[in-house]
Amino acid sequence: MSVDTEAVRLRTEADEPGWEVDPDDEWGVAVIATVGRQLKLRREAVGMRAADFGKAVGYGEDMVYKIEGGKRIPRPEYLEDADRVLGAGGLISAMKEDVAKVQYPKRVRDLAQMEARAVEIGVYEDSNIAGLLQTEGHMRALFGAWLPAYSDEETERVVGARMARRSIFERSPAPTLSFVQEEVTLRRPVGGRMVWRRQLEHLLELGELRNVSIQVMPTDVEEHFGTGGVIEVLKFPDATAVGRSEGAFNGRPVTDPKQIRILDLRYSMIRAQALTPRESRAFIEQMLGET
């Protein structure tokens, strides 16, 4: 095999966008730095040069140095190949669990951690189906329409992160989950007819869960308390809460009880204006029959 052919075969940084380490994510930086250091120690212990190791696992030398230096997040298959090439007996591949915990963006991890602790979650969405309610096909269609465009690798990361959050529906004891969706979010055929139908079916399935309430806000409602945009309120076992609204407090998360009460009031008024869960189910079923 020629040198040129070999160089083309080896993966470079350009082949894997979206796997950079966020410098503001202190925990993520520490984990990836530790993994990189262990990889380097293993490689040096067997007397293997970075360039030779890179060829053995299908990566360029520069990428090997970046991963070992904690500048890049190693993909799971990189760790598996490294374990095999370095004869680590599973010790390197076992680090996939640590990497998996930090490979998603910090803000997504933080949200998932809060959702995992919450005993009550209320969400009002005006432009898209709420993330927790989306099917995988719907997610991919949404991210596929994003500008600037996501790379395939970035899409896999954000879809994986959002899919992981859906474990909240399997929690025991189950949290109380309520969602209010604008009618337009249900009528927009994101991803085409079949993806759209599956999304509507998924809403009906989730709506059957005893701890889940899904309501539709009709477009023809004249006095609407949701014109300020998305509202999210999460309440925890210790009676604390965190909330966010696009139209209040500059869109930043808030924990002050007075501010939480404002968001709670707005969300309660929105729920009162929306169709009841029973009416909403009938509405979604009718839409499904029309698709």
Side-chain angles (χ1 to χ4, degrees):
M1 181 180 293
S2 69
V3 174
D4 289 341
T5 303
E6 182 73 9
V8 171
R9 186 180 67 82
L10 300 180
R11 297 177 71 85
T12 66
E13 190 166 7
D15 296 320
E16 296 191 350
W19 288 77
E20 300 86 359
V21 179
D22 182 356
D24 296 326
D25 182 1
E26 295 182 3
W27 183 52
V29 168
V31 169
I32 299 306
T34 299
V35 170
R37 185 161 54 249
Q38 291 300 315
L39 284 166
K40 182 179 180 181
L41 290 173
R42 284 280 177 178
R43 176 178 61 76
E44 292 179 341
V46 300
M48 200 171 198
R49 296 186 307 126
D52 295 332
F53 172 74
K55 290 179 181 179
V57 296
Y59 280 75
E61 182 179 3
D62 185 57
M63 275 288 282
V64 171
Y65 282 128
K66 284 183 181 296
I67 290 174
E68 292 181 350
K71 304 299 182 183
R72 297 280 295 184
I73 302 173
R75 292 171 59 89
E77 53 266 34
Y78 181 98
L79 295 174
E80 292 172 355
D81 290 341
D83 191 279
R84 172 181 51 78
V85 171
L86 300 178
L91 294 177
I92 292 179
S93 61
M95 292 190 290
K96 289 188 296 182
E97 295 182 11
D98 298 314
V99 172
K101 295 176 182 177
V102 300
Q103 74 182 54
Y104 304 129
K106 183 177 183 299
R107 59 181 177 80
V108 177
R109 296 204 315 268
D110 290 345
L111 177 59
Q113 290 169 1
M114 286 192 292
E115 290 172 344
R117 291 193 299 115
V119 294
E120 184 178 337
I121 298 177
V123 179
Y124 162 67
E125 275 282 356
D126 63 345
S127 57
N128 289 304
I129 301 292
L132 287 173
L133 301 179
Q134 293 174 9
T135 64
E136 182 176 351
H138 189 96
M139 295 176 199
R140 292 185 180 282
L142 283 178
F143 293 131
W146 196 265
L147 290 176
Y150 281 131
S151 67
D152 290 342
E153 302 293 348
E154 290 170 322
T155 298
E156 291 305 315
R157 287 186 68 194
V158 293
V159 168
R162 185 163 291 183
M163 289 291 290
R165 289 171 54 204
R166 300 203 315 186
S167 62
I168 194 171
F169 294 106
E170 302 169 1
R171 271 179 48 193
S172 180
T176 299
L177 307 174
S178 68
F179 303 88
V180 180
Q181 290 286 158
E182 282 291 336
E183 177 183 337
V184 66
T185 65
L186 306 179
R187 292 195 177 280
R188 185 174 296 118
V190 174
R193 183 172 179 273
M194 295 309 297
V195 172
W196 182 28
R197 281 187 57 87
R198 180 61 193 126
Q199 178 61 68
L200 294 177
E201 291 170 348
H202 186 58
L203 292 177
L204 294 174
E205 293 167 1
L206 292 178
E208 292 180 352
L209 300 176
R210 295 178 60 185
N211 63 311
V212 178
S213 168
I214 299 176
Q215 295 176 256
V216 177
M217 175 66 77
T219 302
D220 60 5
V221 170
E222 295 182 6
E223 296 183 3
H224 190 356
F225 291 96
T227 55
V230 173
I231 294 177
E232 296 174 284
V233 179
L234 290 79
K235 300 180 180 180
F236 307 108
D238 60 0
T240 60
V242 62
R244 183 181 72 86
S245 172
E246 292 179 345
F249 317 120
N250 297 317
R252 69 181 186 281
V254 296
T255 56
D256 182 86
K258 292 182 180 179
Q259 296 172 328
I260 292 295
R261 280 198 294 272
I262 291 174
L263 297 183
D264 240 347
L265 175 61
R266 291 185 181 179
Y267 184 62
S268 296
M269 294 301 294
I270 290 171
R271 291 193 70 186
Q273 292 176 315
L275 300 178
T276 67
R278 184 184 296 273
E279 293 169 337
S280 298
R281 181 177 185 83
F283 183 88
I284 297 172
E285 288 174 340
Q286 180 181 344
M287 289 187 58
L288 185 59
E290 295 173 353
T291 60

